[in-house]
């Protein structure tokens, strides 16, 4: 079939992984770039629960463009694509203030040093199991007693 297929695959640079080596050696690999971990960050999937939207990347990141022949004809890689992607990834680098805040709060900078935890906001009083047990006991003791007639 002549279906035009194009894939952009973004993965950590784990050279020892067979899947990584398969992409490097694939006949469909058209482009392959590596972005150093210091040059980019990520908007975390849990960013809606975090105080800081971005986090540092714990690894270098590889970008692969895989295409079949029809894909290369229909969707040729743009000359500026690599620079555009590098610039986009660079916007995810956490600010210096965010890095200091994470260290101060004991959350680290990345998953490697315990920084992958979700920001829970200010601690507030929660009803614990002991309080629930006490309330149940009080309800039980306060029930009107049945009298025999």
């Amino acid at each position: 079939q002549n279906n035009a297929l194009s894939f952009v695959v973004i993965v950590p640079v784990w050279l020892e992984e067979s899947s990584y080596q398969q992409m490097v050696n694939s006949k469909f690999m058209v482009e392959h770039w590596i972005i150093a971990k210091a040059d980019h960050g990520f908007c975390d999937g849990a960013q809606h629960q975090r105080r800081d939207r971005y986090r540092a990347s714990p690894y270098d990141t590889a970008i692969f463009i895989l295409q079949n022949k029809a894909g290369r004809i229909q969707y040729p890689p743009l000359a500026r694509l690599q620079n555009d992607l590098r610039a986009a990834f660079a916007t995810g680098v956490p600010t210096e203030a965010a890095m200091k805040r994470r260290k101060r709060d004991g959350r680290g900078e990345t998953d490697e040093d315990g920084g992958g935890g979700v920001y829970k906001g200010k601690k507030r009083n929660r009803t614990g199991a002991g309080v629930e047990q006490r309330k149940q006991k009080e309800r039980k003791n306060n029930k009107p007693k049945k009298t025999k007639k």
Side-chain angles (χ1 to χ4, degrees):
Q1 294 189 6
N2 294 331
N3 294 333
L5 299 175
S6 293
F7 298 91
V8 176
V9 181
I10 301 169
V11 294
V13 177
W14 291 342
L15 300 173
E16 66 283 353
E17 292 293 323
S18 63
S19 57
Y20 187 90
Q21 292 304 319
Q22 287 173 337
M23 283 192 286
V24 167
N25 297 315
S26 172
K27 67 180 183 178
F28 300 110
M29 200 257 304
V30 177
E31 299 278 346
H32 173 223
W33 312 304
I34 295 176
I35 302 175
K37 70 179 188 176
D39 295 339
H40 73 293
F42 289 98
C43 181
D44 203 294
Q47 48 99 6
H48 62 286
Q49 294 177 312
R50 294 179 185 269
R51 181 174 183 186
D52 299 310
R53 182 180 179 110
Y54 301 107
R55 70 177 173 92
S57 177
Y59 305 103
D60 293 345
T61 295
I63 300 175
F64 291 92
I65 297 180
L66 306 171
Q67 296 179 303
N68 64 3
K69 187 176 180 180
R72 283 188 289 258
I73 292 168
Q74 189 168 348
Y75 309 108
L78 302 172
R80 68 172 202 265
L81 181 60
Q82 182 177 174
N83 289 335
D84 289 350
L85 284 173
R86 286 181 184 278
F89 269 73
T91 64
V93 175
T95 64
E96 191 65 34
M99 300 282 271
K100 285 180 183 177
R101 194 168 34 252
R102 290 181 70 83
K103 279 189 175 187
R104 181 198 69 215
D105 295 345
R107 293 182 291 138
E109 298 174 23
T110 64
D111 287 337
E112 290 176 320
D113 60 9
V118 174
Y119 177 70
K120 303 278 190 203
K122 289 179 110 178
K123 291 184 180 177
R124 54 188 175 267
N125 293 332
R126 293 190 173 94
T127 304
V131 173
E132 276 303 312
Q133 288 173 354
R134 180 185 52 79
K135 285 182 178 181
Q136 287 176 354
K137 190 175 180 180
E138 286 175 0
R139 282 186 218 118
K140 185 178 176 183
N141 290 339
N142 290 333
K143 282 186 182 177
K145 293 182 182 176
K146 293 182 182 177
T147 57
K148 291 183 180 179
K149 291 185 180 182

